[in-house]
Amino acid sequence: MSATDVTAPVARDGNASSRVAAGIRDAIAHGEYPPGSRLRQEEIAERFGASRVPVREALRALEAEGLVTLVANAGAWVSRLTLAECEEVYQTRERLEPLLLRHSAPHLLPEDLDRLEALATAMAATDDVGEFLRLDREFHMLSYSRADTLMLGDLVERLWNTTQPYRRAYTMLADADTRRIMHDEHHLMVVALREGDVEGAERTIEGHIRRTRRLLSRHPEVFSAE
């Protein structure tokens, strides 16, 4: 069994809790734990080969990220948003992410831009929803990665985590025209960033986020209780 096998037992330490948190985060991203689903400590411990201590630490870390809701003496659930809450989060993202991009764009390195272009191409080439979501997150987080901010970057990442399950729903709902526009916007962002057109890149990301919000608002069933 390899050292990286997620089922292998590990010591009770920060590495174990980080590994469990990463596993749960990935499972949420892939739709294995949908919004509102119960996260049972004993099942998670068995799945990831960990004791209860790192599982509890992992759940607390995911709560801080906005992915998990902990209720005292009751348990843990994958965070769920109502339609109104999701719209508010996306409206917030529409305003904050262009600002974060403005902080980051002037400092992106040539290799960053090359990686962004490669990610945009890879997203357009895959039909796997989980792979697309992984690439999409890497694309946007990389575009923001050179920003030197006190709290804006952490806030944007938390908002991303909060809407992660609904990004999956959006991707599943998107028709061929919507997917084409989505991929075109990724490429337009790269072109604007290469040309130093920060305002153009800001307009693109703002519209990109707004389009997701508007499509989700037309599908209230996504937010229905399980």
Side-chain angles (χ1 to χ4, degrees):
M1 181 177 293
S2 69
T4 57
D5 191 326
V6 296
T7 63
V10 295
R12 293 185 183 182
D13 56 19
N15 290 333
S17 62
S18 296
R19 181 177 62 83
V20 174
I24 298 171
R25 194 183 296 114
D26 186 65
I28 292 172
H30 283 79
E32 296 178 48
Y33 296 136
S37 58
R38 181 78 178 268
L39 296 171
R40 301 184 183 280
Q41 289 190 23
E42 61 275 13
E43 293 175 1
I44 293 171
E46 181 178 358
R47 173 172 179 172
F48 295 104
S51 68
R52 295 287 187 89
V53 172
V55 170
R56 286 196 294 269
E57 292 172 351
L59 291 173
R60 284 195 292 267
L62 294 172
E63 181 187 36
E65 294 178 12
L67 278 171
V68 168
T69 299
L70 297 180
V71 179
N73 302 316
W77 287 262
V78 178
S79 296
R80 175 192 293 280
L81 298 177
T82 64
L83 174 56
E85 289 168 339
C86 192
E87 287 197 335
E88 181 178 336
V89 173
Y90 269 99
Q91 287 171 348
T92 305
R93 286 183 53 192
E94 285 173 42
R95 288 152 179 79
L96 293 186
E97 290 187 41
L99 177 59
L100 184 58
L101 185 60
R102 174 171 287 274
H103 281 281
S104 178
H107 309 293
L108 290 169
L109 304 175
E111 51 264 38
D112 296 330
L113 298 173
D114 290 343
R115 178 59 180 164
L116 287 170
E117 186 171 344
L119 288 166
T121 299
M123 279 187 278
T126 185
D127 293 323
D128 182 87
V129 172
E131 177 69 1
F132 168 81
L133 291 172
R134 184 187 68 78
L135 296 169
D136 183 62
R137 185 184 181 98
E138 182 181 349
F139 178 93
H140 290 287
M141 292 300 107
L142 176 57
S143 75
Y144 303 142
S145 65
R146 299 297 178 179
D148 184 14
T149 61
L150 292 175
M151 61 185 72
L152 183 57
D154 290 341
L155 178 55
V156 165
E157 186 168 6
R158 180 181 174 86
L159 293 172
W160 260 75
N161 289 337
T162 301
T163 56
Q164 179 72 35
Y166 303 99
R167 291 177 54 246
R168 182 178 183 85
Y170 168 77
T171 305
M172 301 286 286
L173 290 167
D175 60 19
D177 287 339
T178 300
R179 290 193 296 271
R180 176 181 53 78
I181 293 170
M182 179 169 50
H183 296 315
D184 286 347
E185 286 172 337
H186 289 139
H187 286 289
L188 284 170
M189 278 187 60
V190 177
V191 170
L193 291 169
R194 283 196 186 279
E195 294 179 349
D197 181 7
V198 179
E199 290 184 355
E202 286 182 280
R203 286 193 299 271
T204 300
I205 188 58
E206 182 179 359
H208 192 68
I209 298 167
R210 183 183 302 116
R211 186 168 292 104
T212 304
R213 173 174 61 82
R214 289 172 64 87
L215 186 146
L216 285 171
S217 71
R218 297 196 296 271
H219 291 274
E221 72 276 7
V222 169
F223 304 91
S224 300
E226 296 292 328

